[in-house]
Amino acid sequence: MAKILIKGGRVISPAQQLDDTCDVLIEKGKIAAIGKDLDAQGAEIIDADGKIVTPGLVDIHVHLRDPGLEYKEDIASGTLSAVTGGFTSIACMPNTNPVNDNLSVKNYILNKVKEEGHCRVFPIASISKGLQGESMTEMGELKGLGVYGVSDDGKPVSNAQLMRRAMEYAKPFGITIVTHAEDLELVGSGVMNEGPVSTELGLKGIPCVAEDAATAREIMLAEFTGAHLHVAHVSTKGSIDLVRQAKKRGVNVTCEATPHHFTLTDEAVRGYNTNAKMNPPLRSAEDREAVRKGIADGTVDAIATDHAPHHIDEKNVEFNIAMNGIVGLETALPLSLQLVEDGLIDLPKAVALLTCGPAAALGIPAGQLEEGGVADVTVIDPELEWTVDAQKLVSKSKNTPFDGWKMNGAALCTIVGGKIAYRR
Ligand code: DOR
């Protein structure tokens, strides 16, 4: 395996409290050394002058759609999209066909990753069998075999008793419960955020309280059981406030925010733009501000994309029946760096939200950059200007609301286990 020397970059690894201009030497798949003026003999040199060198980025919320929905994405295309965006570790959601609720589906995913994956993949199993919300997945037998978290993402676990039991069961195994917090009765037939824009467009609204009420229940159950709760894609002021208060009380809760929720508002839906339709929906400017405040004050532990590829035929339909979700792996990094540009957070904080923050939230071994550790590294040009062209995304699906947007910042080189998995 090739020896690689990444020379003269600003090396930032928040988990190691490292922020210094130096070299990173990679040998035999490991970080051999981090330091000044390292010996380059026999190494391929990556000039990182003016660039940022970070632990490989981590995204704990990705829909790879494999098995069963490969017309939207598959393991090869999804992981290639990931490394293109700078990610070296991703967690994939279980709402595939069949659902990842058993060993054979989990093994299928991990075997396929071994054969054709471009980065590390941590499969998240479902909380309920078949995502039916009725009986619990055998999560104990899945833990330790690559599964660190469980989720019915895409749907809430509406039955509070089932959620309580899942938390009690998950706790001793150290499994993270990832909740898609949504009260379906309050959602009703809503298709976008409830507010002036939904009224103007004549679309049925989803009130914030549909998310807030569910988040409150999950937090109370986590407080009661002591399980680790991770709240996915927080989109409302109410949910952010609930997580903030719960953390102050010492509840074992973490949460993530998506680039679309901290960047866009429900104004993006105007024109009945189905590429602005997702679940939870884009919210008001006030909610977006609250999510950003949560990012700044540490309430939010992780940035996660909720990369949700859909075929054009599932989006090129009337708004009410279009599928929920957008692709996110290839635009997350510049949208996160924009938070630094906006003065909301500093660069090390942005790196933490994309590396050790998400890794700790799910409990996966990733997001570190240290001597002797695995060589998962991302070299970032924070200033590289480029324009999003949906048709040129590596993902099989092109459903992005950021088509035509000018971006600043991109991964120049993504290294997984000491091998260059992507080079711009
Ligand atoms: O927009 C979304 N799409 N939200 C979800 O929770 C699920 C996801 C999907 O699977 O398409």
Side-chain angles (χ1 to χ4, degrees), residues 63-105:
H63 296 272
L64 284 178
R65 308 298 194 206
D66 193 350
L69 304 163
E70 297 88 347
Y71 68 97
K72 299 175 195 251
E73 195 80 283
D74 59 27
I75 282 166
S77 68
T79 55
L80 192 58
S81 179
V83 294
T84 303
F87 294 95
T88 60
S89 287
I90 61 177
C92 63
M93 286 297 175
N95 58 343
T96 47
N97 185 17
V99 170
N100 181 16
D101 61 5
N102 62 75
L103 280 173
S104 55
V105 175

Side-chain angles (χ1 to χ4, degrees), residues 61-79 90-98 105 108-109 112 121 131 153-154 277-278 306-311 314-315 323-327 395-397 399:
H61 196 141
V62 174
H63 296 272
L64 284 178
R65 308 298 194 206
D66 193 350
L69 304 163
E70 297 88 347
Y71 68 97
K72 299 175 195 251
E73 195 80 283
D74 59 27
I75 282 166
S77 68
T79 55
I90 61 177
C92 63
M93 286 297 175
N95 58 343
T96 47
N97 185 17
V105 175
Y108 161 86
I109 295 170
K112 207 163 171 201
V121 175
L131 298 173
D153 183 65
K277 183 179 181 187
M278 68 283 288
D306 196 359
H307 177 85
H310 290 295
H311 192 269
E314 297 165 324
K315 283 292 195 180
M323 292 222 162
N324 277 312
I326 62 165
V327 291
S395 168
K396 272 191 197 178
S397 292
N399 50 314

Side-chain angles (χ1 to χ4, degrees), residues 65-68 75 91-110 121-131 136-139 141-142 145-153:
R65 308 298 194 206
D66 193 350
I75 282 166
C92 63
M93 286 297 175
N95 58 343
T96 47
N97 185 17
V99 170
N100 181 16
D101 61 5
N102 62 75
L103 280 173
S104 55
V105 175
K106 184 203 61 100
N107 288 337
Y108 161 86
I109 295 170
L110 290 178
V121 175
F122 296 90
I124 290 178
S126 64
I127 293 173
S128 72
K129 279 193 189 137
L131 298 173
M136 215 181 355
T137 299
E138 295 288 346
M139 55 182 96
E141 72 174 22
L142 292 164
L145 300 161
V147 172
Y148 294 80
V150 290
S151 181
D152 274 8
D153 183 65

Side-chain angles (χ1 to χ4, degrees), residues 140-404:
E141 72 174 22
L142 292 164
K143 170 72 192 186
L145 300 161
V147 172
Y148 294 80
V150 290
S151 181
D152 274 8
D153 183 65
K155 299 190 195 180
V157 174
S158 294
N159 181 332
Q161 174 71 330
L162 178 63
M163 187 52 113
R164 174 201 169 165
R165 296 296 179 215
M167 285 188 184
E168 285 173 339
Y169 194 74
K171 191 187 167 196
F173 289 104
I175 294 172
T176 302
I177 298 271
V178 181
T179 179
H180 172 111
E182 192 181 23
D183 182 309
L184 292 180
E185 273 78 35
L186 287 168
V187 169
S189 50
V191 292
M192 70 170 290
N193 183 50
E194 180 179 297
V197 184
S198 66
T199 305
E200 275 181 52
L201 294 178
L203 293 172
K204 285 228 171 80
I206 302 171
C208 288
V209 72
E211 180 174 327
D212 304 346
T215 303
R217 186 201 80 175
E218 307 299 49
I219 286 173
M220 295 192 92
L221 288 172
E223 193 162 16
F224 181 71
T225 60
H228 174 199
L229 171 70
H230 177 75
V231 187
H233 42 49
V234 172
S235 75
T236 63
K237 178 174 186 306
S239 284
I240 287 282
D241 286 343
L242 284 160
V243 173
R244 185 182 290 116
Q245 289 157 15
K247 283 187 166 184
K248 277 194 191 135
R249 290 201 303 280
V251 181
N252 192 2
V253 61
T254 51
C255 76
E256 72 193 28
T258 71
H260 45 280
H261 289 116
F262 67 65
T263 305
L264 301 172
T265 67
D266 54 3
E267 292 288 337
V269 176
R270 285 191 194 280
Y272 302 90
N273 179 7
T274 58
N275 284 331
K277 183 179 181 187
M278 68 283 288
N279 186 16
L282 296 172
R283 302 285 188 183
S284 68
E286 192 191 355
D287 290 304
R288 178 183 59 181
E289 226 22 66
V291 171
R292 292 168 72 91
K293 194 161 168 249
I295 289 172
D297 74 8
T299 302
V300 172
D301 301 270
I303 291 172
T305 64
D306 196 359
H307 177 85
H310 290 295
H311 192 269
I312 178 121
D313 293 347
E314 297 165 324
K315 283 292 195 180
N316 216 357
V317 291
E318 65 184 271
F319 196 89
N320 281 328
I321 57 168
M323 292 222 162
N324 277 312
I326 62 165
V327 291
L329 287 165
E330 294 164 65
T331 48
L333 174 59
L335 293 171
S336 302
L337 292 174
Q338 187 61 41
L339 300 174
V340 179
E341 197 56 35
D342 295 344
L344 193 74
I345 50 174
D346 62 15
L347 189 54
K349 175 69 181 171
V351 174
L353 286 162
L354 288 164
T355 57
C356 54
L362 190 59
I364 58 174
Q368 316 282 322
L369 190 66
E370 54 188 342
E371 285 180 7
V374 292
D376 289 0
V377 186
T378 304
V379 182
I380 297 165
D381 182 343
E383 265 143 35
L384 194 130
E385 284 180 32
W386 61 286
T387 303
V388 180
D389 178 348
Q391 293 316 312
K392 291 197 178 136
L393 293 176
V394 168
S395 168
K396 272 191 197 178
S397 292
K398 313 299 172 193
N399 50 314
T400 173
F402 300 110
D403 192 23

